Amino acid sequence: MRDSGRGLMALLRLMTGLEPGGMLSVVLVSFGSGIGLAFLMVTVLHWIAAIPFLCLAALPFFVLAVALVRYPAFRAFPANLSYTFDGDFSILSRDRSESSCWRQCELRVELLEPKAEDIATVRTGLRAFAQLANKSIYETRWGKIQRWSVEDLQATGEANARVAWKLYRFLSGDLQQLVERGLRVHCVDLKVSSELHHVPAESDSMN
């Protein structure tokens, strides 16, 4: 069955940037090493010394708990937004690929009344998102990933799972809050390329 991009696994992919196989590996390593080291600390030192390793073992379950709390809002996105959203975010959220796969994106915000103050507010929000998104862009040995930039009320760049998660947080969080506080947004348009290209990180492409 085709992934709708709104399921729990899609949310976990966006939050972690991992596919199911990678998630399982992280869970097994984190839980196994955490429990093993915690037992060793209790045996050799003191139960207090085991606390950090118990936290390590519990980390995957904490991430799952956070995902379950966020899931109802994610599943209802973008229908519950306070502004008109035009675009198919699910193209990004249903990509069953590793974080080294990227799509070209363009995000544009239209205001009902483009006042100077509101324009400045939106630009500030877009620039904050672009700065966060660019932190997920890694060094490459070959190929190029387009960094996010902002011009007027439009942000352009490339997105993988981690950037898509930050885009979701911007649309459903920062921008949503601005609209709820009175920012008059006419609509938000998201264009996502149908072409998916693979750009390995520098460490992945070393001989």
Side-chain angles (χ1 to χ4, degrees):
M1 184 171 59
R2 184 175 175 79
D3 188 349
S4 67
R6 295 186 182 181
L8 182 60
M9 286 306 302
L11 177 57
L12 284 169
R13 279 200 303 273
L14 294 179
M15 289 178 61
T16 65
L18 297 173
E19 281 297 300
M23 293 180 201
L24 180 60
S25 297
V26 169
V27 170
L28 292 176
V29 171
S30 178
F31 182 77
S33 60
I35 291 297
L37 291 170
F39 178 77
L40 180 63
M41 291 299 103
V42 171
T43 303
V44 177
L45 297 176
H46 192 273
W47 67 267
I48 294 180
I51 292 177
F53 302 105
L54 290 175
C55 292
L56 174 64
L59 181 60
F61 304 98
F62 174 75
V63 173
L64 177 59
V66 171
L68 289 172
V69 171
R70 291 184 177 275
Y71 180 61
F74 176 75
R75 185 174 177 82
F77 174 83
N80 287 352
L81 294 175
S82 300
Y83 54 86
T84 300
F85 177 80
D86 184 16
D88 192 0
F89 179 82
S90 61
I91 294 177
L92 295 171
S93 61
R94 67 172 173 251
D95 273 343
R96 301 187 67 83
S97 58
E98 297 180 355
S99 59
S100 59
C101 291
W102 298 80
R103 292 184 188 270
Q104 177 71 32
C105 298
E106 177 183 294
L107 180 67
R108 180 167 52 85
V109 180
E110 291 187 10
L111 297 172
L112 279 172
E113 298 178 7
K115 300 177 181 178
E117 181 180 356
D118 291 343
I119 291 173
T121 297
V122 173
R123 283 179 180 168
T124 299
L126 288 173
R127 286 169 180 159
F129 157 71
Q131 185 176 17
L132 287 174
N134 286 334
K135 290 182 179 179
S136 294
I137 296 179
Y138 46 77
E139 295 294 328
T140 64
R141 186 178 179 86
W142 54 266
K144 183 179 180 180
I145 303 168
Q146 181 181 350
R147 297 179 64 83
W148 284 81
S149 60
V150 176
E151 184 175 352
D152 295 328
L153 299 182
Q154 178 175 297
T156 57
E158 290 191 271
N160 64 350
R162 298 300 295 135
V163 174
W165 173 244
K166 294 173 181 179
L167 176 59
Y168 167 76
R169 295 292 303 276
F170 171 71
L171 294 171
S172 64
D174 296 346
L175 186 58
Q176 172 79 357
Q177 291 172 13
L178 289 174
V179 172
E180 291 174 352
R181 290 201 293 263
L183 182 68
R184 302 189 66 189
V185 172
H186 174 59
C187 70
V188 175
D189 180 56
L190 173 65
K191 294 181 180 178
V192 181
S193 173
S194 60
E195 297 182 3
L196 184 69
H197 68 107
H198 177 72
V199 185
E202 186 174 22
S203 59
D204 294 338
S205 54
M206 297 288 285
N207 293 327

